[in-house]
Amino acid sequence: MNATISRFARGCACLLAAAACRTAPDAGAAARDRLNHQIFEMDIHSHVEPNRVRVSHVSLNLNIDFENKQLAGSATLTLDRRDPSAPLILDIQDLVIDKIISEMGFDLQYSIGAADPNLGSALNVGLMPHDTKITVFYHTTEKAGALQWLGPEQTAGGRRPFLFTQGQSIFTRSWIPLQDSPAVRITYDAVISAPPGLTPVMSARQQGAGPDGKYHFDMNLPIPPYLIALACGELKFLPISDRCGIWAEPPVADGARWEFEDSEKMVQAVERLFGKYRWGRYDILVLPPSFPFGGMENPTLTFATPTVLAGDKSLVSLVAHELAHSWSGNLVTNATWSDFWLNEGFTMYLEGRIMEEVYGAEHAKMEMQLGRADLEREMKELEPRDQILHVDLSGRHPDDGFTGIPYEKAVMFLRRLEALAGRGAFDKFLNHYFDSRAFQSITTDEFLKDLREQLLKENASIEKNININEWIYKPGLPADAPRVVSKALVEVDKALELYKDGKSLRDVNVKGWVTQQWQHFLTSLPGTIDAKGMDNLDGIFHFTESKNSEILGEWLRLAIKNSYQPAYGKLEEFLMNVGRRKFLKPLYSEFAKTEEGKRRGREIYKKARARYHPVAVSVIDKILE
Ligand code: BES
Ligand code: ZN
């Protein structure tokens, strides 16, 4: 409520400022400024007023203190003072501000507003007339939502601790005081000190350690703040090509290098399709298993879960996905979290195209069919408001809108457009879109304007065959959502038929089945299977022993659903080690469906909770109440 009121008050201030601008001689600047105001009135997840004072660069100087689980040091902010009388407003959450000084070294006055549980506080800094650079001295706290501090026992090496940050969506403010809106792009550099033997890495150019033993980084392309990322642990680097390589703990490095060795091919494929890779290096950091996501597209350095190291390259579409974000998301970014579908939908589209280039159309089709099936299952549980691409997040944390909709529904919308326009015309549109919008943060409306001007105008018949308004602003899946049928999955359907007819699967030839076929098999089995049936399946296919996280995860869900005790040892081990939210959520949700399940789920969660990242904890807390 407070946030709403202050936003309204700010809205009035902006209108006044815009009115003043209208009398200014530079009409173009006035128009740009008005646009900025509109954008910031729309980012309901930030306190800042970048239309008045905008942070353009951050210089970090931080020490990683594993003992106290604390980052401490300073952030020097370079300011663009558009309204000389305005204070600087920053976003902070669970940060302790020690002092703020001007470039001349004078103490600056500041105040911290009331903390909103979702947004944190506004840090209001009084500026002197000539201040264009200020330094905030600060340290993080135990509550920092972006940070996960791992004990040695949670790492592959088992000897040293590990730290990583996760900024998306609005957690960067819990480790850096800045204007934490995806519409405020910034460049950054950093000097990081870490304990001996531990290597810090960042989403930036790695300049290596200086004579002082501190590590230097710089990112000279403007990025949204959620892409500033840091990790630190016992790390080793293995090259794949001149520009691609793996950062990982020594025990997993060789395996990861092999698993991800097609990265360079993927970069080349996407460059052929959608233009030059603009970020210099493309490296992948393999995190410990408690990393809460599959991957995170931190520029120059994708963060990845080790649960995709299946040993057969079958889960590398994750790399295609995070790499694709170098165009959709990092180059052209959602201006607000309601426009998140622009990031993920385009990325899913590019991911599919990369997979098709590198592994062939049949493989890509298999993943598309699974994606649609996942979405249809999830959709049944979603409220109508969460089935909308341009999602209404008022009063909510952006992560509350994190569903399959901005991924799978969005990609179907784009594939439908592709089918209507033809691939050639659609590719031309996309190339133009990434070029003309490069390094911009845009809204759904701006995308629609581009779409109309660049694609629909020249191909007038498209709009007659698609209801764009329904796709973007209405719940549900429109009737023209493309349906893909993969031959490899039809094979699986034959086995499922036998199973449904009560026939044995022992003689089905599953030798060449790939992960995606097993996923289709497991998600298509009937919900309820008795103990004998579960035993029988496990006896033939050894699911409980599977080393593949996707197959094991789905089997363990079935095990909970059907109280299949022989898998419970594995289940507990999995939940104690893996922190990837995509796996935790369905497993704990399955537990939560019965009283006995809740009891067992809570028992395991009590032991595992401290090992999960805050963004996973907040979700599981809710599931288990
Ligand atoms: N950017 C997302 C991860 C994310 C989204 C983090 C929203 C925080 C808030 C990343 O690109 C992603 O989509 N990861 C997926 C994997 C992908 C292959 C679909 C994941 O982590 O499951
Ligand atoms: Zn993504």
mmCIF file of all heavy atoms in Angstrom, residues 264-308:
data_model
loop_
_atom_site.group_PDB
_atom_site.id
_atom_site.type_symbol
_atom_site.label_atom_id
_atom_site.label_comp_id
_atom_site.label_asym_id
_atom_site.label_seq_id
_atom_site.Cartn_x
_atom_site.Cartn_y
_atom_site.Cartn_z
ATOM 1 N N GLU A 264 30.971 -23.946 -28.495
ATOM 2 C CA GLU A 264 31.483 -23.120 -29.590
ATOM 3 C C GLU A 264 30.619 -23.294 -30.846
ATOM 4 O O GLU A 264 30.276 -22.326 -31.516
ATOM 5 C CB GLU A 264 32.961 -23.466 -29.868
ATOM 6 C CG GLU A 264 33.566 -22.801 -31.104
ATOM 7 C CD GLU A 264 33.616 -21.272 -31.035
ATOM 8 O OE1 GLU A 264 33.886 -20.717 -29.956
ATOM 9 O OE2 GLU A 264 33.360 -20.638 -32.088
ATOM 10 N N LYS A 265 30.233 -24.551 -31.110
ATOM 11 C CA LYS A 265 29.354 -24.798 -32.271
ATOM 12 C C LYS A 265 28.037 -24.043 -32.115
ATOM 13 O O LYS A 265 27.459 -23.560 -33.078
ATOM 14 C CB LYS A 265 29.025 -26.298 -32.357
ATOM 15 C CG LYS A 265 30.029 -27.102 -33.133
ATOM 16 C CD LYS A 265 29.499 -28.524 -33.340
ATOM 17 C CE LYS A 265 30.651 -29.501 -33.238
ATOM 18 N NZ LYS A 265 30.266 -30.846 -32.824
ATOM 19 N N MET A 266 27.554 -24.010 -30.879
ATOM 20 C CA MET A 266 26.284 -23.312 -30.636
ATOM 21 C C MET A 266 26.431 -21.810 -30.868
ATOM 22 O O MET A 266 25.568 -21.182 -31.467
ATOM 23 C CB MET A 266 25.817 -23.573 -29.203
ATOM 24 C CG MET A 266 25.367 -24.994 -28.941
ATOM 25 S SD MET A 266 24.682 -25.086 -27.272
ATOM 26 C CE MET A 266 24.272 -26.823 -27.165
ATOM 27 N N VAL A 267 27.552 -21.249 -30.407
ATOM 28 C CA VAL A 267 27.752 -19.803 -30.623
ATOM 29 C C VAL A 267 27.789 -19.528 -32.127
ATOM 30 O O VAL A 267 27.169 -18.575 -32.621
ATOM 31 C CB VAL A 267 29.048 -19.285 -29.947
ATOM 32 C CG1 VAL A 267 29.165 -17.775 -30.140
ATOM 33 C CG2 VAL A 267 29.081 -19.617 -28.466
ATOM 34 N N GLN A 268 28.493 -20.387 -32.852
ATOM 35 C CA GLN A 268 28.578 -20.171 -34.302
ATOM 36 C C GLN A 268 27.209 -20.293 -34.960
ATOM 37 O O GLN A 268 26.868 -19.533 -35.862
ATOM 38 C CB GLN A 268 29.569 -21.165 -34.921
ATOM 39 C CG GLN A 268 31.001 -20.792 -34.590
ATOM 40 C CD GLN A 268 32.011 -21.825 -35.062
ATOM 41 O OE1 GLN A 268 31.700 -22.676 -35.883
ATOM 42 N NE2 GLN A 268 33.223 -21.745 -34.535
ATOM 43 N N ALA A 269 26.402 -21.251 -34.473
ATOM 44 C CA ALA A 269 25.070 -21.442 -35.062
ATOM 45 C C ALA A 269 24.208 -20.198 -34.848
ATOM 46 O O ALA A 269 23.582 -19.687 -35.786
ATOM 47 C CB ALA A 269 24.393 -22.662 -34.435
ATOM 48 N N VAL A 270 24.202 -19.695 -33.642
ATOM 49 C CA VAL A 270 23.320 -18.560 -33.379
ATOM 50 C C VAL A 270 23.853 -17.300 -34.061
ATOM 51 O O VAL A 270 23.081 -16.450 -34.518
ATOM 52 C CB VAL A 270 23.039 -18.399 -31.861
ATOM 53 C CG1 VAL A 270 24.258 -18.055 -31.107
ATOM 54 C CG2 VAL A 270 21.951 -17.392 -31.589
ATOM 55 N N GLU A 271 25.170 -17.204 -34.218
ATOM 56 C CA GLU A 271 25.721 -16.056 -34.950
ATOM 57 C C GLU A 271 25.279 -16.078 -36.417
ATOM 58 O O GLU A 271 24.945 -15.048 -36.990
ATOM 59 C CB GLU A 271 27.257 -16.064 -34.895
ATOM 60 C CG GLU A 271 27.807 -15.504 -33.593
ATOM 61 C CD GLU A 271 29.308 -15.269 -33.643
ATOM 62 O OE1 GLU A 271 30.021 -16.137 -34.177
ATOM 63 O OE2 GLU A 271 29.753 -14.228 -33.142
ATOM 64 N N ARG A 272 25.262 -17.289 -37.000
ATOM 65 C CA ARG A 272 24.802 -17.410 -38.390
ATOM 66 C C ARG A 272 23.363 -16.930 -38.512
ATOM 67 O O ARG A 272 22.971 -16.299 -39.470
ATOM 68 C CB ARG A 272 24.857 -18.884 -38.843
ATOM 69 C CG ARG A 272 26.218 -19.352 -39.311
ATOM 70 C CD ARG A 272 26.089 -20.654 -40.107
ATOM 71 N NE ARG A 272 25.490 -21.766 -39.384
ATOM 72 C CZ ARG A 272 26.148 -22.584 -38.563
ATOM 73 N NH1 ARG A 272 27.449 -22.401 -38.341
ATOM 74 N NH2 ARG A 272 25.538 -23.584 -37.949
ATOM 75 N N LEU A 273 22.571 -17.257 -37.501
ATOM 76 C CA LEU A 273 21.148 -16.958 -37.590
ATOM 77 C C LEU A 273 20.817 -15.516 -37.210
ATOM 78 O O LEU A 273 20.013 -14.863 -37.854
ATOM 79 C CB LEU A 273 20.360 -17.902 -36.670
ATOM 80 C CG LEU A 273 20.366 -19.377 -37.059
ATOM 81 C CD1 LEU A 273 19.790 -20.231 -35.938
ATOM 82 C CD2 LEU A 273 19.568 -19.585 -38.340
ATOM 83 N N PHE A 274 21.408 -15.033 -36.116
ATOM 84 C CA PHE A 274 20.910 -13.773 -35.548
ATOM 85 C C PHE A 274 21.970 -12.709 -35.302
ATOM 86 O O PHE A 274 21.747 -11.770 -34.561
ATOM 87 C CB PHE A 274 20.128 -14.073 -34.259
ATOM 88 C CG PHE A 274 18.971 -15.000 -34.506
ATOM 89 C CD1 PHE A 274 18.957 -16.290 -33.993
ATOM 90 C CD2 PHE A 274 17.909 -14.596 -35.310
ATOM 91 C CE1 PHE A 274 17.899 -17.152 -34.253
ATOM 92 C CE2 PHE A 274 16.848 -15.452 -35.575
ATOM 93 C CZ PHE A 274 16.842 -16.732 -35.056
ATOM 94 N N GLY A 275 23.124 -12.866 -35.910
ATOM 95 C CA GLY A 275 24.127 -11.790 -35.824
ATOM 96 C C GLY A 275 25.190 -12.042 -34.776
ATOM 97 O O GLY A 275 25.072 -12.921 -33.935
ATOM 98 N N LYS A 276 26.200 -11.204 -34.863
ATOM 99 C CA LYS A 276 27.433 -11.362 -34.100
ATOM 100 C C LYS A 276 27.198 -11.491 -32.585
ATOM 101 O O LYS A 276 26.353 -10.821 -32.018
ATOM 102 C CB LYS A 276 28.258 -10.107 -34.377
ATOM 103 C CG LYS A 276 29.700 -10.195 -34.005
ATOM 104 C CD LYS A 276 30.389 -8.902 -34.458
ATOM 105 C CE LYS A 276 31.572 -8.518 -33.588
ATOM 106 N NZ LYS A 276 32.142 -9.486 -32.705
ATOM 107 N N TYR A 277 27.997 -12.364 -31.962
ATOM 108 C CA TYR A 277 28.020 -12.463 -30.498
ATOM 109 C C TYR A 277 28.807 -11.269 -29.973
ATOM 110 O O TYR A 277 29.973 -11.086 -30.318
ATOM 111 C CB TYR A 277 28.677 -13.788 -30.077
ATOM 112 C CG TYR A 277 28.758 -13.980 -28.577
ATOM 113 C CD1 TYR A 277 27.622 -14.294 -27.842
ATOM 114 C CD2 TYR A 277 29.965 -13.836 -27.894
ATOM 115 C CE1 TYR A 277 27.682 -14.464 -26.464
ATOM 116 C CE2 TYR A 277 30.037 -14.009 -26.526
ATOM 117 C CZ TYR A 277 28.887 -14.319 -25.812
ATOM 118 O OH TYR A 277 28.953 -14.482 -24.454
ATOM 119 N N ARG A 278 28.169 -10.440 -29.156
ATOM 120 C CA ARG A 278 28.774 -9.137 -28.858
ATOM 121 C C ARG A 278 29.500 -9.055 -27.525
ATOM 122 O O ARG A 278 29.918 -7.978 -27.108
ATOM 123 C CB ARG A 278 27.683 -8.074 -28.821
ATOM 124 C CG ARG A 278 26.879 -8.002 -30.095
ATOM 125 C CD ARG A 278 26.094 -6.721 -30.063
ATOM 126 N NE ARG A 278 25.072 -6.681 -31.071
ATOM 127 C CZ ARG A 278 24.719 -5.569 -31.688
ATOM 128 N NH1 ARG A 278 25.327 -4.437 -31.392
ATOM 129 N NH2 ARG A 278 23.750 -5.593 -32.563
ATOM 130 N N TRP A 279 29.608 -10.182 -26.805
ATOM 131 C CA TRP A 279 30.053 -10.076 -25.411
ATOM 132 C C TRP A 279 31.484 -10.555 -25.177
ATOM 133 O O TRP A 279 31.915 -10.687 -24.030
ATOM 134 C CB TRP A 279 29.092 -10.871 -24.506
ATOM 135 C CG TRP A 279 27.676 -10.426 -24.648
ATOM 136 C CD1 TRP A 279 26.756 -10.903 -25.538
ATOM 137 C CD2 TRP A 279 27.019 -9.382 -23.909
ATOM 138 N NE1 TRP A 279 25.565 -10.223 -25.398
ATOM 139 C CE2 TRP A 279 25.699 -9.289 -24.399
ATOM 140 C CE3 TRP A 279 27.415 -8.527 -22.872
ATOM 141 C CZ2 TRP A 279 24.774 -8.376 -23.897
ATOM 142 C CZ3 TRP A 279 26.493 -7.622 -22.376
ATOM 143 C CH2 TRP A 279 25.193 -7.547 -22.890
ATOM 144 N N GLY A 280 32.215 -10.829 -26.275
ATOM 145 C CA GLY A 280 33.591 -11.293 -26.063
ATOM 146 C C GLY A 280 33.611 -12.785 -25.784
ATOM 147 O O GLY A 280 33.327 -13.600 -26.659
ATOM 148 N N ARG A 281 33.893 -13.179 -24.541
ATOM 149 C CA ARG A 281 33.956 -14.598 -24.213
ATOM 150 C C ARG A 281 32.574 -15.168 -23.925
ATOM 151 O O ARG A 281 31.658 -14.450 -23.527
ATOM 152 C CB ARG A 281 34.838 -14.811 -22.970
ATOM 153 C CG ARG A 281 36.307 -14.433 -23.169
ATOM 154 C CD ARG A 281 37.152 -15.101 -22.103
ATOM 155 N NE ARG A 281 37.002 -16.556 -22.135
ATOM 156 C CZ ARG A 281 37.684 -17.364 -22.926
ATOM 157 N NH1 ARG A 281 38.594 -16.896 -23.741
ATOM 158 N NH2 ARG A 281 37.470 -18.674 -22.899
ATOM 159 N N TYR A 282 32.441 -16.485 -24.149
ATOM 160 C CA TYR A 282 31.267 -17.196 -23.630
ATOM 161 C C TYR A 282 31.762 -18.391 -22.817
ATOM 162 O O TYR A 282 32.149 -19.423 -23.370
ATOM 163 C CB TYR A 282 30.317 -17.661 -24.750
ATOM 164 C CG TYR A 282 29.141 -18.400 -24.153
ATOM 165 C CD1 TYR A 282 28.146 -17.707 -23.466
ATOM 166 C CD2 TYR A 282 29.052 -19.793 -24.194
ATOM 167 C CE1 TYR A 282 27.100 -18.370 -22.850
ATOM 168 C CE2 TYR A 282 28.007 -20.465 -23.591
ATOM 169 C CZ TYR A 282 27.031 -19.747 -22.918
ATOM 170 O OH TYR A 282 26.000 -20.400 -22.296
ATOM 171 N N ASP A 283 31.784 -18.226 -21.502
ATOM 172 C CA ASP A 283 32.225 -19.295 -20.612
ATOM 173 C C ASP A 283 31.041 -19.815 -19.799
ATOM 174 O O ASP A 283 30.005 -19.151 -19.687
ATOM 175 C CB ASP A 283 33.311 -18.776 -19.654
ATOM 176 C CG ASP A 283 34.602 -18.407 -20.397
ATOM 177 O OD1 ASP A 283 34.947 -19.099 -21.367
ATOM 178 O OD2 ASP A 283 35.248 -17.411 -19.994
ATOM 179 N N ILE A 284 31.202 -21.008 -19.257
ATOM 180 C CA ILE A 284 30.148 -21.594 -18.412
ATOM 181 C C ILE A 284 30.749 -21.926 -17.057
ATOM 182 O O ILE A 284 31.805 -22.572 -16.980
ATOM 183 C CB ILE A 284 29.587 -22.886 -19.040
ATOM 184 C CG1 ILE A 284 29.003 -22.595 -20.429
ATOM 185 C CG2 ILE A 284 28.517 -23.509 -18.128
ATOM 186 C CD1 ILE A 284 28.638 -23.846 -21.206
ATOM 187 N N LEU A 285 30.108 -21.461 -16.001
ATOM 188 C CA LEU A 285 30.524 -21.801 -14.648
ATOM 189 C C LEU A 285 29.611 -22.912 -14.133
ATOM 190 O O LEU A 285 28.387 -22.753 -14.107
ATOM 191 C CB LEU A 285 30.400 -20.577 -13.730
ATOM 192 C CG LEU A 285 30.554 -20.861 -12.229
ATOM 193 C CD1 LEU A 285 31.983 -21.265 -11.893
ATOM 194 C CD2 LEU A 285 30.136 -19.642 -11.396
ATOM 195 N N VAL A 286 30.191 -24.042 -13.764
ATOM 196 C CA VAL A 286 29.391 -25.144 -13.211
ATOM 197 C C VAL A 286 29.356 -24.977 -11.692
ATOM 198 O O VAL A 286 30.398 -24.993 -11.038
ATOM 199 C CB VAL A 286 30.002 -26.509 -13.577
ATOM 200 C CG1 VAL A 286 29.163 -27.631 -12.996
ATOM 201 C CG2 VAL A 286 30.102 -26.638 -15.086
ATOM 202 N N LEU A 287 28.165 -24.789 -11.177
ATOM 203 C CA LEU A 287 28.017 -24.530 -9.734
ATOM 204 C C LEU A 287 27.804 -25.813 -8.959
ATOM 205 O O LEU A 287 27.503 -26.864 -9.547
ATOM 206 C CB LEU A 287 26.844 -23.573 -9.527
ATOM 207 C CG LEU A 287 27.256 -22.180 -9.977
ATOM 208 C CD1 LEU A 287 26.307 -21.637 -10.983
ATOM 209 C CD2 LEU A 287 27.456 -21.277 -8.785
ATOM 210 N N PRO A 288 27.906 -25.740 -7.650
ATOM 211 C CA PRO A 288 27.511 -26.893 -6.834
ATOM 212 C C PRO A 288 26.006 -27.166 -6.985
ATOM 213 O O PRO A 288 25.263 -26.277 -7.413
ATOM 214 C CB PRO A 288 27.854 -26.444 -5.406
ATOM 215 C CG PRO A 288 28.931 -25.414 -5.586
ATOM 216 C CD PRO A 288 28.548 -24.685 -6.842
ATOM 217 N N PRO A 289 25.552 -28.363 -6.621
ATOM 218 C CA PRO A 289 24.163 -28.756 -6.925
ATOM 219 C C PRO A 289 23.082 -27.949 -6.213
ATOM 220 O O PRO A 289 21.913 -28.057 -6.572
ATOM 221 C CB PRO A 289 24.095 -30.231 -6.498
ATOM 222 C CG PRO A 289 25.311 -30.476 -5.683
ATOM 223 C CD PRO A 289 26.341 -29.475 -6.085
ATOM 224 N N SER A 290 23.439 -27.139 -5.245
ATOM 225 C CA SER A 290 22.389 -26.350 -4.590
ATOM 226 C C SER A 290 22.039 -25.090 -5.388
ATOM 227 O O SER A 290 21.154 -24.341 -4.982
ATOM 228 C CB SER A 290 22.799 -25.977 -3.173
ATOM 229 O OG SER A 290 24.008 -25.284 -3.213
ATOM 230 N N PHE A 291 22.685 -24.859 -6.514
ATOM 231 C CA PHE A 291 22.276 -23.736 -7.374
ATOM 232 C C PHE A 291 20.777 -23.887 -7.680
ATOM 233 O O PHE A 291 20.344 -24.951 -8.129
ATOM 234 C CB PHE A 291 23.109 -23.745 -8.662
ATOM 235 C CG PHE A 291 22.831 -22.580 -9.567
ATOM 236 C CD1 PHE A 291 23.017 -21.283 -9.120
ATOM 237 C CD2 PHE A 291 22.376 -22.777 -10.864
ATOM 238 C CE1 PHE A 291 22.754 -20.196 -9.948
ATOM 239 C CE2 PHE A 291 22.118 -21.701 -11.702
ATOM 240 C CZ PHE A 291 22.308 -20.405 -11.239
ATOM 241 N N PRO A 292 19.989 -22.825 -7.424
ATOM 242 C CA PRO A 292 18.523 -23.012 -7.470
ATOM 243 C C PRO A 292 17.922 -23.086 -8.865
ATOM 244 O O PRO A 292 16.750 -23.419 -9.005
ATOM 245 C CB PRO A 292 17.991 -21.785 -6.717
ATOM 246 C CG PRO A 292 19.049 -20.748 -6.882
ATOM 247 C CD PRO A 292 20.357 -21.479 -6.922
ATOM 248 N N PHE A 293 18.707 -22.746 -9.893
ATOM 249 C CA PHE A 293 18.145 -22.771 -11.254
ATOM 250 C C PHE A 293 18.886 -23.769 -12.125
ATOM 251 O O PHE A 293 19.935 -24.292 -11.738
ATOM 252 C CB PHE A 293 18.233 -21.377 -11.881
ATOM 253 C CG PHE A 293 17.394 -20.374 -11.156
ATOM 254 C CD1 PHE A 293 17.979 -19.460 -10.295
ATOM 255 C CD2 PHE A 293 16.019 -20.375 -11.284
ATOM 256 C CE1 PHE A 293 17.197 -18.558 -9.589
ATOM 257 C CE2 PHE A 293 15.225 -19.482 -10.582
ATOM 258 C CZ PHE A 293 15.828 -18.564 -9.728
ATOM 259 N N GLY A 294 18.314 -23.995 -13.310
ATOM 260 C CA GLY A 294 19.024 -24.791 -14.292
ATOM 261 C C GLY A 294 20.224 -23.994 -14.769
ATOM 262 O O GLY A 294 21.356 -24.447 -14.741
ATOM 263 N N GLY A 295 19.926 -22.781 -15.189
ATOM 264 C CA GLY A 295 20.991 -21.911 -15.650
ATOM 265 C C GLY A 295 20.616 -20.464 -15.461
ATOM 266 O O GLY A 295 19.438 -20.135 -15.286
ATOM 267 N N MET A 296 21.639 -19.614 -15.480
ATOM 268 C CA MET A 296 21.409 -18.173 -15.399
ATOM 269 C C MET A 296 22.358 -17.509 -16.378
ATOM 270 O O MET A 296 23.566 -17.772 -16.369
ATOM 271 C CB MET A 296 21.637 -17.695 -13.964
ATOM 272 C CG MET A 296 21.445 -16.201 -13.781
ATOM 273 S SD MET A 296 19.724 -15.689 -14.105
ATOM 274 C CE MET A 296 19.988 -14.068 -14.796
ATOM 275 N N GLU A 297 21.768 -16.645 -17.198
ATOM 276 C CA GLU A 297 22.468 -16.108 -18.367
ATOM 277 C C GLU A 297 23.412 -14.951 -18.034
ATOM 278 O O GLU A 297 23.443 -13.958 -18.756
ATOM 279 C CB GLU A 297 21.425 -15.659 -19.392
ATOM 280 C CG GLU A 297 20.520 -14.480 -18.952
ATOM 281 C CD GLU A 297 19.240 -14.890 -18.241
ATOM 282 O OE1 GLU A 297 19.219 -15.974 -17.618
ATOM 283 O OE2 GLU A 297 18.267 -14.116 -18.290
ATOM 284 N N ASN A 298 24.179 -15.032 -16.970
ATOM 285 C CA ASN A 298 25.070 -13.933 -16.623
ATOM 286 C C ASN A 298 26.031 -13.678 -17.781
ATOM 287 O O ASN A 298 26.660 -14.616 -18.281
ATOM 288 C CB ASN A 298 25.793 -14.249 -15.317
ATOM 289 C CG ASN A 298 24.807 -14.380 -14.167
ATOM 290 O OD1 ASN A 298 23.908 -13.550 -14.020
ATOM 291 N ND2 ASN A 298 24.918 -15.439 -13.385
ATOM 292 N N PRO A 299 26.125 -12.416 -18.244
ATOM 293 C CA PRO A 299 26.864 -12.156 -19.471
ATOM 294 C C PRO A 299 28.331 -12.573 -19.373
ATOM 295 O O PRO A 299 28.962 -12.376 -18.339
ATOM 296 C CB PRO A 299 26.733 -10.639 -19.665
ATOM 297 C CG PRO A 299 26.074 -10.104 -18.455
ATOM 298 C CD PRO A 299 25.463 -11.228 -17.714
ATOM 299 N N THR A 300 28.825 -13.121 -20.430
ATOM 300 C CA THR A 300 30.175 -13.702 -20.590
ATOM 301 C C THR A 300 30.371 -14.983 -19.779
ATOM 302 O O THR A 300 31.332 -15.712 -19.978
ATOM 303 C CB THR A 300 31.354 -12.744 -20.215
ATOM 304 O OG1 THR A 300 31.409 -12.620 -18.792
ATOM 305 C CG2 THR A 300 31.201 -11.373 -20.834
ATOM 306 N N LEU A 301 29.463 -15.273 -18.836
ATOM 307 C CA LEU A 301 29.666 -16.410 -17.937
ATOM 308 C C LEU A 301 28.329 -16.984 -17.469
ATOM 309 O O LEU A 301 27.799 -16.583 -16.436
ATOM 310 C CB LEU A 301 30.484 -15.952 -16.717
ATOM 311 C CG LEU A 301 30.873 -17.024 -15.715
ATOM 312 C CD1 LEU A 301 31.785 -18.063 -16.349
ATOM 313 C CD2 LEU A 301 31.561 -16.405 -14.496
ATOM 314 N N THR A 302 27.787 -17.924 -18.269
ATOM 315 C CA THR A 302 26.559 -18.605 -17.857
ATOM 316 C C THR A 302 26.805 -19.372 -16.558
ATOM 317 O O THR A 302 27.826 -20.047 -16.427
ATOM 318 C CB THR A 302 26.134 -19.583 -18.972
ATOM 319 O OG1 THR A 302 25.514 -18.851 -20.034
ATOM 320 C CG2 THR A 302 25.151 -20.634 -18.460
ATOM 321 N N PHE A 303 25.897 -19.236 -15.610
ATOM 322 C CA PHE A 303 25.946 -20.067 -14.401
ATOM 323 C C PHE A 303 25.070 -21.302 -14.668
ATOM 324 O O PHE A 303 23.932 -21.154 -15.113
ATOM 325 C CB PHE A 303 25.377 -19.311 -13.183
ATOM 326 C CG PHE A 303 26.307 -18.287 -12.572
ATOM 327 C CD1 PHE A 303 27.345 -17.715 -13.293
ATOM 328 C CD2 PHE A 303 26.129 -17.875 -11.247
ATOM 329 C CE1 PHE A 303 28.195 -16.764 -12.721
ATOM 330 C CE2 PHE A 303 26.972 -16.927 -10.656
ATOM 331 C CZ PHE A 303 27.999 -16.369 -11.387
ATOM 332 N N ALA A 304 25.591 -22.498 -14.376
ATOM 333 C CA ALA A 304 24.816 -23.700 -14.707
ATOM 334 C C ALA A 304 24.798 -24.705 -13.559
ATOM 335 O O ALA A 304 25.781 -24.851 -12.825
ATOM 336 C CB ALA A 304 25.391 -24.365 -15.954
ATOM 337 N N THR A 305 23.690 -25.388 -13.446
ATOM 338 C CA THR A 305 23.554 -26.465 -12.461
ATOM 339 C C THR A 305 24.366 -27.682 -12.916
ATOM 340 O O THR A 305 24.407 -27.987 -14.115
ATOM 341 C CB THR A 305 22.077 -26.881 -12.317
ATOM 342 O OG1 THR A 305 21.999 -28.045 -11.477
ATOM 343 C CG2 THR A 305 21.463 -27.240 -13.655
ATOM 344 N N PRO A 306 24.970 -28.410 -11.981
ATOM 345 C CA PRO A 306 25.663 -29.641 -12.389
ATOM 346 C C PRO A 306 24.670 -30.768 -12.693
ATOM 347 O O PRO A 306 25.082 -31.819 -13.187
ATOM 348 C CB PRO A 306 26.502 -29.986 -11.155
ATOM 349 C CG PRO A 306 25.754 -29.402 -10.001
ATOM 350 C CD PRO A 306 25.072 -28.157 -10.523
ATOM 351 N N THR A 307 23.369 -30.538 -12.430
ATOM 352 C CA THR A 307 22.398 -31.611 -12.696
ATOM 353 C C THR A 307 22.172 -31.828 -14.193
ATOM 354 O O THR A 307 21.437 -32.734 -14.575
ATOM 355 C CB THR A 307 21.034 -31.342 -12.013
ATOM 356 O OG1 THR A 307 20.490 -30.132 -12.546
ATOM 357 C CG2 THR A 307 21.179 -31.221 -10.513
ATOM 358 N N VAL A 308 22.757 -30.979 -15.052
ATOM 359 C CA VAL A 308 22.654 -31.266 -16.497
ATOM 360 C C VAL A 308 23.858 -32.062 -17.002
ATOM 361 O O VAL A 308 23.945 -32.373 -18.192
ATOM 362 C CB VAL A 308 22.460 -30.001 -17.362
ATOM 363 C CG1 VAL A 308 21.092 -29.395 -17.117
ATOM 364 C CG2 VAL A 308 23.556 -28.982 -17.119
#
